Amino acid sequence: MTFDPHAGRHRMPVVFGPSAGPRQGPDGRTFDMSRAPRTSAAISFLTERSRLEALLPPGCELDGPPVVTVEHTMLRELEWLAGRGYNLLGVRFPVRYQGREETARGPFLSVLWENRPEPIITGREELGYAKLYCELPEPRILRGAHCYAASWDGHEFLRMEIDGLDEATPPPAPAADGVLHYRYLPAISGVAPSVSEMVISPSGGSPMRHRSFRRGTGRLAFVRSTWEQLPTMYHIVNALADLPILDITGASIAETVGAKDLSDQRVLR
C-alpha cells in the first residue's frame, strides 16, 4: 500500500498510515461523545492585574476583572479510548484577542495538565492545546470535603479543596466566542518558532447537559518548586504560585454528560 499523508488524520510516525484518536476511529468513523460523563471541580480567584497581564500571549488583553479559574475534570467512558478515561487540570482567564482580521473573546486556557499520554499528544498536535503531563489522582472525599492534588514524579505542586457544597442552579453558558489557545511549535534548530498562532475551540455544537451542580467554599495553592523537583515545568508552576489570591470568587462541582470532539478547532486570523 502506498503511503498517502493526505488520506485521513495522521500523527507521527506517519508512515504506518492514519492514526486513531478522539476525532478519528480505526475505520475512519467519528465517535459518539454524547453520553460520556464528566465531573468538574472549579475554583476561581481574583488576582493582581499586572501579574496576570504578564502571562498574556501576543495580541491579547484581559477582558474584565483579573479572575483565574483552576478546574479539575474527570472524564469517563470515552468511546475513543475504548471505554477508558483520564483526568485534567486547566488554568484559564478571560481575554480579548485582536488579530489581523478577527477579534475573539473567551477564556484563554494557559495550561492543561492531563494524566494520559494519548490526549496530550493528540491535543497538542491536532488542536494546539498547551498540554502537559502530571499525576492527577482521584479526589479524596471526607465529611463532604473534596480534596484534589496534582504532582509530578511524586512532587505535589497543587492542592485544592472544596467543601460546604449545596445544590445550585447551573450557570448560563458564558457569552464567549470560544476557548482560546496559543499554539507554539519551536523550529528544529534555532530560537525562532516554526508556528506561533492563536487558535480557538468555538462555542456551540456541544451536547453537554448538567446532571447536578453544587456550589461551595474553595481553597487552593500552587506550591513553589525547584528545578530539581520539576525539571521541565517549575517555571510554569512558580508563575502560577506567584499570582496573589486576593479573593475566592467561586467554587463549584458539576456533573455533566456529553461533549464534542473539537473537530471545529481553527486558527484565528
Side-chain angles (χ1 to χ4, degrees), residues 173-219:
D177 298 310
V179 180
L180 282 73
H181 316 264
Y182 183 39
R183 180 172 180 251
Y184 180 97
L185 298 175
I188 295 299
S189 58
V191 178
S194 176
V195 175
S196 175
E197 59 194 7
M198 292 296 295
V199 297
I200 188 170
S201 307
S203 297
S206 173
M208 189 196 80
R209 58 195 184 277
H210 279 86
R211 282 180 168 173
S212 70
F213 184 81
R214 294 175 289 169
R215 294 192 185 276
T217 301
R219 292 168 291 279

Side-chain angles (χ1 to χ4, degrees), residues 41-61:
I43 295 178
S44 299
F45 65 90
L46 183 70
T47 191
E48 290 181 1
R49 178 173 292 272
S50 60
R51 293 289 186 95
L52 199 55
E53 286 176 336
L55 302 181
L56 291 172
C60 288
E61 62 182 10

Side-chain angles (χ1 to χ4, degrees), residues 77-131:
E77 301 175 32
L78 296 172
E79 190 176 87
W80 76 271
L81 284 175
R84 298 171 179 83
Y86 60 97
N87 299 338
L88 311 80
L89 177 72
V91 180
R92 64 181 189 269
F93 44 89
V95 303
R96 178 182 181 275
Y97 170 72
Q98 180 62 63
R100 296 185 304 275
E101 302 177 25
E102 292 182 274
T103 299
R105 300 174 63 184
F108 168 58
L109 188 58
S110 61
V111 60
L112 182 65
W113 283 279
E114 296 177 338
N115 66 348
R116 288 191 72 97
E118 296 85 3
I120 295 174
I121 292 169
T122 58
R124 286 177 69 109
E125 293 191 7
E126 295 178 12
L127 304 176
Y129 274 47
K131 294 190 175 191

Side-chain angles (χ1 to χ4, degrees), residues 222-234:
F222 282 94
V223 180
R224 283 197 61 83
S225 305
T226 65
W227 168 75
E228 290 85 358
Q229 292 167 326
L230 298 175
T232 61
M233 58 186 184
Y234 72 97

Side-chain angles (χ1 to χ4, degrees), residues 66-87:
V67 173
V68 178
T69 299
V70 180
E71 185 173 46
H72 178 285
T73 301
M74 297 184 292
L75 303 179
R76 297 295 179 265
E77 301 175 32
L78 296 172
E79 190 176 87
W80 76 271
L81 284 175
R84 298 171 179 83
Y86 60 97
N87 299 338

